[in-house]
Amino acid sequence: MYKVMSVYSKGTANGARLAALLINEGTSAVRKIFDEKVNKEGGLAAILKKKQARVKRFLDGKNEKGGKHPQLLYPDQYDSLYPNGKPVETSNNFDLTLLILLFGILCIEPEPKITKWSTNLEPSPNDRSLGAHLMRLKRFRNKLYGHIPSTSLDENVFRLFWDELEKILTSLQVDSEKIEQYKTECIDKVKEKEYEKCLQDLMCADLADVRALCEKICMESSNFQSNCQGIIDEMKDMQLDALKNFHTVTLMFDRFAKASGKMQHFVEKSFSFEQKLEVLSSAVCENTSVVSENTSVVSEIASVVSENTSVVSKNTSVLEQILLLMLLSNAVMKKL
């Protein structure tokens, strides 16, 4: 933790006033809204028990299927939610950081329109939702961290910071007269140190969480490097296999080229044969025509033969009758 070496002055008093207003009234306002929300869901313990699996995913950084999930919670924060493994009854020991996170983790308030609970983006100026006001308060807290350990602010910076924080707290229903008291009340060196220490403790708690996250990222990075090396080795093996396959494909291509040459020769012969076949077909057609003509002539000859056969048959009948008459004449002549 920082050992503050600041000397009491008007500038450090201004920083202490901002820290006091943020920690006291900011945390109190957020806790009041948070308690109202969870009480509508049956109480803090009930909702923590119901959504413990979801809360655990935000701690482990893994979703239900084992994939990546935003890690918003850290072990100390999880332990404050489930001391001894059981859900806590009240939010009295929650700091400002945890209270704001729980709005999203427990799904008791929609995310701002253009940002998310897991980011630190500035909400749209037109977004007047509760989620947007909470995000603005979170961003203001981070901005104030940048002035630790001195927390000394000149009048111009103090006025800008104060107006910004006052606007946020007013949006969260903090009484304007109470806000003004922090600005005008006399503050001594003891109070200054007290408020400065509170802000430092809040920052150190967040830094511890960030450090734990960095350590986890380093470990995952190491695992990622190991996985990358394994992938590189596999790619080398795949490259060797690809070269072998390429050689095989080259041989197959050569064989195909030779086969293509033979196929071309066969095609040429087939084409020549086809031409000859066409000539033969033409000759056959001509011969068929001649045969057809000869068949017609033969038919005519057959018809003439048939007719002649009929004449011969008739003539044979006449001759038979003549012969019979001649025999009869000879018989008559002998009798005479």
Side-chain angles (χ1 to χ4, degrees):
M1 187 179 295
Y2 288 98
K3 287 189 176 181
V4 182
M5 303 300 294
S6 61
V7 178
Y8 178 72
S9 66
K10 187 173 183 180
T12 57
N14 287 339
R17 285 191 175 91
L18 275 172
L21 181 60
L22 172 66
I23 294 171
N24 291 347
E25 298 306 320
T27 305
S28 177
V30 173
R31 179 177 288 111
K32 180 181 178 181
I33 298 171
F34 176 81
D35 289 343
E36 290 175 355
K37 293 279 186 180
V38 296
N39 286 337
K40 292 179 181 179
E41 301 288 336
L44 180 59
I47 193 172
L48 285 174
K49 182 178 180 180
K50 179 181 178 181
K51 299 190 177 183
Q52 187 169 2
R54 174 180 168 82
V55 175
K56 192 70 165 56
R57 290 199 293 272
F58 282 94
L59 173 66
D60 298 335
K62 295 182 180 180
N63 59 26
E64 295 176 344
K65 298 181 179 180
K68 290 186 177 180
H69 191 281
Q71 182 181 3
L72 303 184
L73 282 178
Y74 299 96
D76 290 344
Q77 293 173 320
Y78 185 83
D79 291 341
S80 65
L81 295 176
Y82 300 94
N84 300 320
K86 296 181 180 180
V88 70
E89 297 287 339
T90 68
S91 64
N92 293 340
N93 294 326
F94 296 173
D95 60 22
L96 182 61
T97 301
L98 182 56
L99 284 168
I100 294 176
L101 284 176
L102 289 176
F103 277 92
I105 293 174
L106 299 180
C107 301
I108 57 177
E109 179 64 28
E111 290 181 324
K113 293 180 180 179
I114 63 172
T115 185
K116 294 183 177 181
W117 297 114
S118 57
T119 66
N120 195 37
L121 299 177
E122 176 70 30
S124 169
N126 298 326
D127 190 351
R128 309 309 299 171
S129 65
L130 173 59
H133 296 319
L134 293 173
M135 186 61 67
R136 293 185 184 100
L137 186 62
K138 175 184 174 182
R139 285 174 56 82
F140 182 86
R141 178 210 61 186
N142 295 342
K143 186 189 299 185
L144 194 58
Y145 281 167
H147 292 271
I148 296 175
S150 67
T151 67
S152 179
L153 301 172
D154 62 38
E155 283 298 316
N156 291 331
V157 176
F158 170 72
R159 192 177 300 111
L160 291 173
F161 273 38
W162 188 272
D163 291 344
E164 181 181 353
L165 181 57
E166 182 178 21
K167 186 181 297 183
I168 296 171
L169 294 180
T170 302
S171 300
L172 295 174
Q173 308 303 316
V174 178
D175 185 65
S176 57
E177 292 183 1
K178 184 176 288 188
I179 294 174
E180 189 65 22
Q181 288 179 3
Y182 282 87
K183 188 176 183 179
T184 58
E185 73 175 1
C186 180
I187 184 169
D188 57 23
K189 189 173 182 179
V190 175
K191 285 186 178 181
E192 177 191 338
K193 292 284 186 179
E194 180 182 341
Y195 292 138
E196 188 175 326
K197 183 178 182 301
C198 289
L199 188 60
Q200 286 178 342
D201 290 343
L202 187 61
M203 184 194 73
C204 288
D206 286 347
L207 288 177
D209 294 336
V210 172
R211 188 179 298 111
L213 178 59
C214 289
E215 291 175 355
K216 181 178 180 180
I217 291 174
C218 288
M219 184 177 298
E220 291 180 350
S221 176
S222 177
N223 294 335
F224 177 73
Q225 289 178 354
S226 299
N227 292 336
C228 285
Q229 186 60 45
I231 293 172
I232 291 172
D233 293 339
E234 289 180 3
M235 289 181 68
K236 288 181 179 178
D237 294 338
M238 291 173 64
Q239 187 178 16
L240 292 175
D241 292 340
L243 290 174
K244 293 178 181 178
N245 292 335
F246 178 76
H247 179 67
T248 303
V249 170
T250 302
L251 293 176
M252 292 177 65
F253 181 78
D254 291 339
R255 292 176 182 175
F256 176 76
K258 293 178 181 178
S260 296
K262 293 180 179 179
M263 182 65 73
Q264 181 65 29
H265 181 66
F266 175 75
V267 169
E268 290 175 356
K269 285 188 174 181
S270 297
F271 181 72
S272 176
F273 176 76
E274 184 179 359
Q275 289 179 330
K276 293 178 181 179
L277 187 61
E278 288 180 356
V279 173
L280 180 61
S281 177
S282 177
V284 169
C285 289
E286 292 177 0
N287 291 334
T288 301
S289 177
V290 171
V291 170
S292 177
E293 292 178 359
N294 292 337
T295 300
S296 178
V297 172
V298 169
S299 296
E300 291 178 0
I301 292 171
S303 178
V304 171
V305 170
S306 179
E307 291 177 0
N308 290 335
T309 300
S310 178
V311 171
V312 169
S313 178
K314 289 180 181 179
N315 291 336
T316 301
S317 179
V318 171
L319 288 175
E320 288 178 349
Q321 290 177 2
I322 292 171
L323 181 59
L324 182 59
L325 288 174
M326 288 177 68
L327 291 174
L328 289 173
S329 293
N330 288 334
V332 170
M333 287 297 293
K334 286 179 177 181
K335 288 179 178 183
L336 292 175

